[in-house]
Amino acid sequence: MVLGRFPRTIESSEQPVHPPAMPPVALRVQLPVGFGGFHVGVLGYPLWPGSFVLTFDCGSLTSQLARDWAARVGREIHACVGRVDLAVLSHTDFDHVCGIEALAKTTRIDTLMLPNVTVGFRAAQAAAYAHHGKPRWYATFLRDPVAWAAEMGVGRVVLVGGPPEQPPVEGDAEPERPPVEGAGTAAPTLTLGRTARAIGGRATEVASGDPLTVTVAHPNARWRLVPIVAPPRDSEALESALNKALNGASYASVFDGLGQRTTSSLRNMLAQVYRRHWGSTNRSSIILIVAPFQGDGGWVCTGDADLSSSETRGLVRTYGANFLPRVDAIQVPHHGSPKNFDTHAADDLLALTRKPSLRWIVSSGRNKWNYPSASVRAACTARGSIVETTPSSAWKDVRHF
């Protein structure tokens, strides 16, 4: 698994390694789910229960494959460390989340992070996906992801919202989060940033660009996690279209009526709204920078963010400039779509990391859009190497990067 089978390729032992017998590491893998996303990171020490386990996205267009991998990895994580410390969902499209229920059923998730989008958008999204025969839990999740998380035993939910008042400063002091009850003194901690605030007593919102801090039991084992979300374009137009389609009905009626099939149904009208505005809202998925306090070994996960947008790249530059020099691998957004990634994005990221080349991670596999596109592939290979996965259920096809 992440702390067992995976590390065998980096010659780790079969017994737990306790600090400070070896320096802390960042183990990074991409699971072979094909067109989707399922990254696992381990911050700390292979096979050590005090390591911090991070997942980014948990889904695929081949949903059964994503569920199978989520269950397999979840069981092994649970057997070794007992939990996923942070599960990040870049956005709530089904091909990025369809395995999260299986993961939550097989191991405890301490913190679930996702973008803070309106219930109206989630209702339109549920309507758009309903006719594809998506499972009932997905509609429940979209209706109220915080309540769904509580039902699944998730410790807390963190929603990434608007931008902070000013960029973060390296080394800012932050209050320590108390250790997880029953986890012992070796348990890692995840400390939220200065902008963290409670929402309705059920979740916590953090501002886009406000770093979180991961600490494990070693004086040099600390990492920054920087979530960045670009604001949706034309949000007022989206809300106006949603209200027009609702025509006085409640969002609850949308979720209750997802089984309707008539072309004039509210569900279908909302689905049309979602499809019209999908391009501008899809860009608002979470970008997560993972960077150690010292040395290299960091990486960036992008979900379906629009890095071809100068606005999004400006946010990455503003909030990531202090951390990107410690990064040597970057996920190409939206499975290698030329609408989300281009040479300008590649050049900007290469300059910000101050590296001569990078590893570019692509979650695609065979697909009808032929992603990654030829232009994206050329942009990446000219600036490093591509790590690519295809759908597989074999451990040998897990990719380290």
Side-chain angles (χ1 to χ4, degrees), residues 183-331:
T185 57
T189 61
L190 176 64
T191 305
L192 303 184
R194 294 169 297 175
T195 64
R197 65 183 185 90
I199 303 177
R202 301 192 306 156
T204 302
E205 183 183 53
V206 297
S208 173
D210 192 11
L212 293 72
T213 303
V214 172
T215 305
V216 301
H218 189 286
N220 296 322
R222 290 198 297 165
W223 287 263
R224 290 286 203 185
L225 309 181
V226 188
I228 300 171
V229 175
R233 293 193 185 104
D234 303 324
S235 57
E236 292 183 1
L238 170 61
E239 291 301 320
S240 176
L242 290 171
N243 290 332
K244 183 177 180 180
L246 282 170
N247 194 27
S250 67
Y251 285 121
S253 66
V254 177
F255 290 103
D256 292 338
L258 290 178
Q260 298 179 35
R261 299 287 178 178
T262 60
T263 56
S264 60
S265 70
L266 176 59
R267 191 204 78 183
N268 280 276
M269 288 188 288
L270 283 172
Q272 293 173 17
V273 171
Y274 175 77
R275 285 189 288 268
R276 285 200 304 270
H277 290 268
W278 170 84
S280 63
T281 51
N282 195 50
R283 72 190 282 271
S284 299
S285 61
I286 292 174
I287 299 169
L288 186 72
I289 301 172
V290 182
F293 268 58
Q294 298 181 0
D296 288 334
W299 72 100
V300 179
C301 294
T302 58
D304 283 356
D306 183 8
L307 285 178
S308 66
S309 161
S310 59
E311 178 189 7
T312 303
R313 295 200 307 275
L315 293 173
V316 172
R317 187 180 304 108
T318 298
Y319 301 121
N322 289 332
F323 311 104
L324 286 168
R326 300 186 183 91
V327 164
D328 55 36
I330 296 178
Q331 180 195 18

Side-chain angles (χ1 to χ4, degrees), residues 92-114:
T92 50
D93 277 357
F94 190 70
D95 62 321
H96 287 255
V97 307
C98 61
I100 192 65
E101 184 194 42
L103 185 66
K105 284 182 175 181
T106 49
T107 190
R108 181 170 63 85
I109 297 175
D110 184 32
T111 301
L112 177 67
M113 175 185 286
L114 63 161

